[in-house]
Amino acid sequence: GCEGGSNDGSLTDYCIEPPTVDTPNPGQDEGNSPASTPSSSSSSSSCSFSVALLADPQIGWNRDGYNSEKLFRVAASHLRELKPKFILVAGDMIQDPGNNAQYRTAKSILDSVNIPYYAIAGNHDVRGNPRLNLLNDFVQDWNLPYYWYTVRHCNTLFVMLDSNILRARDDGDAEEEIVELAVEQLEWLDKTLKDATRDNDIDHIIPIAHHPLATRSLGEASKNTNTPRGVRQDLMDIYEAHAGPKLEYV
């Protein structure tokens, strides 16, 4: 039951899978998300392809001679030359959460590359302590099937995680709905990895998130630039439970 689609509707060998088939797309009208766009059969056989992973364009961050928009346009020109099959963007599209002008600029630059792309949110998109309205806006603005989802191509499954939601699970100041979403996401991740490791047509499983598990060592203290220790350990437990030649998370 995996349905496909792309940003321009032209790519037919993708498979984008929402967490569950009956999960609604928050903030979207039915039929507008990639997950609700039917496609032809998705190729699951082994093949060779390239993918570009971008992060932190942070349009609007302009200090000390640093111009984020100019640098992102340079990156876009390189992407046109490299011609990857698709692009994954691991968050921080903009500098100021909810700034529509910055979002329009970021999206226009990515659209100009004319290569399908899929994004997940960073803390500058939805705030360090994420707000549900900003999460929903991000899903709608970037035409996503859900806060987290998978992108499958040939024999590879990319697991697109929302680390902002996960980081908020043990935060006493987090919205109750966000904490519930964090629990839901961990359960979904466990099931997704379990199913994928048993799928003979999948050879590679690659989780993608904005925040790293750690910046120096897995035992390091919690800080703004990593995943808090409690959630980090739960993620490691899930990864280790499904460890094998398929799963590539470090």
Side-chain angles (χ1 to χ4, degrees):
C2 190
E3 300 168 332
S6 70
N7 299 91
D8 61 3
S10 63
L11 194 62
T12 59
D13 57 351
Y14 266 157
C15 189
I16 302 179
E17 191 171 12
T20 59
V21 294
D22 58 352
T23 298
N25 299 329
Q28 295 187 351
D29 295 327
E30 186 174 351
N32 289 342
S33 74
S36 62
T37 305
S39 77
S40 61
S41 60
S42 175
S43 172
S44 60
S45 61
S46 177
C47 70
S48 176
F49 67 97
S50 63
V51 56
L53 175 62
L54 310 182
D56 299 82
Q58 278 185 236
I59 299 301
W61 176 265
N62 303 310
R63 297 182 184 178
D64 302 324
Y66 178 95
N67 186 299
S68 57
E69 179 180 341
K70 180 180 179 180
L71 289 175
F72 198 34
R73 293 189 184 280
V74 171
S77 68
H78 289 309
L79 287 169
R80 293 188 196 98
E81 295 178 2
L82 292 170
K83 295 181 173 61
K85 189 69 174 179
F86 56 97
I87 302 166
L88 303 177
V89 192
D92 276 5
M93 317 297 289
I94 62 175
Q95 171 64 18
D96 304 306
N99 188 305
N100 290 328
Q102 292 175 3
Y103 267 134
R104 286 194 296 271
T105 299
K107 194 172 190 307
S108 69
I109 294 172
L110 280 169
D111 287 344
S112 72
V113 178
N114 200 30
I115 295 172
Y117 60 85
Y118 300 94
I120 49 176
N123 52 292
H124 279 276
D125 301 307
V126 297
R127 298 182 60 172
N129 186 349
R131 297 292 186 264
L132 189 61
N133 65 306
L134 291 175
L135 287 164
N136 288 345
D137 287 346
F138 190 88
V139 167
Q140 184 174 21
D141 291 343
W142 295 95
N143 198 27
L144 305 180
Y146 200 56
Y147 311 111
W148 56 85
Y149 57 100
T150 61
V151 176
R152 179 170 175 174
H153 183 65
C154 295
N155 61 341
T156 303
L157 185 73
F158 297 90
V159 183
M160 308 292 283
L161 299 171
D162 191 309
S163 58
N164 308 285
I165 292 174
L166 293 174
R167 295 185 82 256
R169 189 197 63 179
D170 300 331
D171 187 341
D173 295 326
E175 297 176 357
E176 182 178 352
E177 296 90 343
I178 304 298
V179 174
E180 293 173 352
L181 283 171
V183 173
E184 176 189 341
Q185 184 173 187
L186 287 170
E187 292 174 348
W188 171 85
L189 175 62
D190 186 40
K191 182 180 185 302
T192 298
L193 295 183
K194 179 180 178 180
D195 292 344
T197 54
R198 296 179 178 182
D199 189 333
N200 292 330
D201 290 329
I202 294 177
D203 295 323
H204 307 286
I205 307 165
I206 305 176
I208 304 291
H210 178 67
H211 297 89
L213 290 173
T215 57
R216 292 186 179 274
S217 70
L218 290 173
E220 68 188 28
S222 303
K223 51 188 178 181
N224 291 337
T225 55
N226 67 14
T227 302
R229 293 185 70 171
V231 176
R232 185 192 313 160
Q233 186 59 56
D234 288 344
L235 284 168
M236 288 302 302
D237 288 345
I238 291 173
Y239 290 148
E240 289 174 1
H242 306 290
K246 292 185 177 185
L247 183 59
E248 304 167 26
Y249 60 91
V250 176

